[in-house]
Amino acid sequence: FNGGTWNGQACECPPDYGGDKCQDEPAVCQNGGSWDGIKCVCTSLYEGSKCETVVSSIDIEPENVSAQMELTVKVTNQKFSQELLNRSSSEFQKFNETFTKQMDIIYSGIPEYETVNITKLTPGSVVVEHDVILKAKFIPDYKEFINKIAKKVEEKIKNATQEQILNNDTCTTLLCFNMTATKVQNISVTYDPEEECRKKAGKDFAEHFFVEYKDERPKCITRCMPGFKASLNCNFGTCRLERSGPRCYCLTTDTEWYSGETCEFSTKKSLVYGLLGAVGAVVLVGLVILLVFVLRSKREVKRQKSKVNQLYQWHEEDGGPAPGTFQNAGFNISEGIRNSQWTQNISKANKQTNKAQNKIVESNPTISISTININGLNTSVKRVDF
Ligand SMILES: *[C@@H]1O[C@H](CO)[C@@H](O)[C@H](O)[C@H]1NC(C)=O
Ligand SMILES: *[C@@H]1O[C@H](CO)[C@@H](O)[C@H](O)[C@H]1NC(C)=O
Ligand SMILES: *[C@@H]1O[C@H](CO)[C@@H](O)[C@H](O)[C@H]1NC(C)=O
Ligand SMILES: *[C@@H]1O[C@H](CO)[C@@H](O)[C@H](O)[C@H]1NC(C)=O
Ligand SMILES: *[C@@H]1O[C@H](CO)[C@@H](O)[C@H](O)[C@H]1NC(C)=O
Ligand SMILES: *[C@@H]1O[C@H](CO)[C@@H](O)[C@H](O)[C@H]1NC(C)=O
């Protein structure tokens, strides 16, 4: 099949055709999928044998989670100056450098420690409000993990500033601190699964993918994904995501049809068939009645027509009267004509014709042909005037 050739032992199939008789046509992989010779290999956003459907969930396992802790420490061995308020000034740069170096030493035992960022400097000697930036590999219970690290950070900074007091203000390190002023204000985990979800969905479908938490884990899903609060219930139908949004394709079972936006209406097939049957029966009866009427009126027309024809025939058989002659072929009215009015009229006419025939002398009869209408039937009648 499909242009394959027999080489004496087996079928040699054209590219992408398969089967021992080349009967398997290549699947046309859609949406950027590629044919690997056996099946379509779809891109991450599609599935199905031809990559025809959009997946209903995307894995979002963020690589990293970052968190920032708001801290305040009081540096005792530095004098505050107005220049420190200018972040571009050399004073600030120098202070920043020393401070960062000191913090790197303090937090050296914490691998998740990334850096510090000074947010505000105020006098006294120098009160440093800063963020400690933490970065951790994503694990399912990342929140708990970050909290653990934050505890470690707090311990470290408290221990470091306590040492200063214990050292009795003889500052041997880069910076010395007043422990009583050390405060840990806030920890915020900066991690946005929504953003990752939208990014992975691509711009065509971004608006239909969203994050719902299940078992405290972010899931990037569409409404076609079953088992979530936002799931679209298609009532036994199939949910498919299209560019316009999720859509239900309804099911038809042996006994029922489902319809509606979420296939919420079910119609019993037997009911529909019953209704159709009833309507059909009514239509059939109507047709039969109509047919009877048509046949009857046709027969009536035919009867009238045959009457006229017979009359006409009577006139034509003799070729019509030639000028100056008159013949009466007599009335040979067939048995079919039972209309008494007609019979009467004709016998009357017959009598009159006979009378006229008797009276004919040497006259010049004129013949005129006129069309008359009998019961809707046009027929021409010859009239002879003496
Ligand atoms: C901040 O410091 C820079 C560099 O010394 C200087 O050019 C700038 O004028 C200063 N800005 C203010 C507002 O003092
Ligand atoms: C402070 O110093 C660190 C390291 O020297 C640097 O990465 C950071 O950009 C500096 N911050 C500011 C506000 O200058
Ligand atoms: C550091 O803090 C400044 C001032 O609050 C802020 O503008 C900047 O974005 C922060 N940098 C980082 C890396 O967090
Ligand atoms: C505090 O610092 C000292 C000296 O660096 C160290 O021996 C001690 O284990 C630290 N304590 C805590 C709780 O980190
Ligand atoms: C440390 O700070 C507290 C309150 O902020 C203050 O009373 C104390 O004098 C300070 N100690 C030193 C050594 O600066
Ligand atoms: C912690 O920081 C977050 C974000 O910066 C803020 O929304 C929240 O109110 C802060 N909480 C406290 C107790 O300062």
Side-chain angles (χ1 to χ4, degrees), residues 45 59 116 196 242 274 353:
L45 205 56
D59 284 338
V116 286
E196 194 184 354
E242 298 181 347
T353 316

Side-chain angles (χ1 to χ4, degrees), residues 74 76 124-125 165 169 177-181:
K74 194 172 188 175
T76 51
S125 300
I165 305 276
D169 289 341
F177 304 95
N178 180 338
M179 188 249 178
T180 50

Side-chain angles (χ1 to χ4, degrees), residues 130-146:
H130 65 284
D131 294 333
V132 173
I133 314 290
L134 303 171
K135 212 164 229 168
K137 279 239 171 296
F138 178 85
I139 52 165
D141 49 357
Y142 67 94
K143 276 186 180 159
E144 202 184 313
F145 183 63
I146 291 284

Side-chain angles (χ1 to χ4, degrees), residues 298 300-309 371-380:
K298 255 207 176 139
E300 183 67 21
V301 167
K302 212 166 161 190
R303 212 162 64 190
Q304 302 285 15
K305 201 174 168 183
S306 82
K307 277 182 212 165
V308 172
N309 273 351
T371 305
I372 59 163
N373 185 304
I374 301 168
N375 285 7
L377 251 157
N378 281 338
T379 188
S380 54

Side-chain angles (χ1 to χ4, degrees), residues 301-332:
V301 167
K302 212 166 161 190
R303 212 162 64 190
Q304 302 285 15
K305 201 174 168 183
S306 82
K307 277 182 212 165
V308 172
N309 273 351
Q310 262 152 354
L311 281 175
Y312 198 67
Q313 239 171 6
W314 155 70
H315 200 76
E316 289 283 295
E317 259 161 16
D318 304 311
T325 63
F326 184 81
Q327 286 176 311
N328 187 3
F331 285 98
N332 182 19

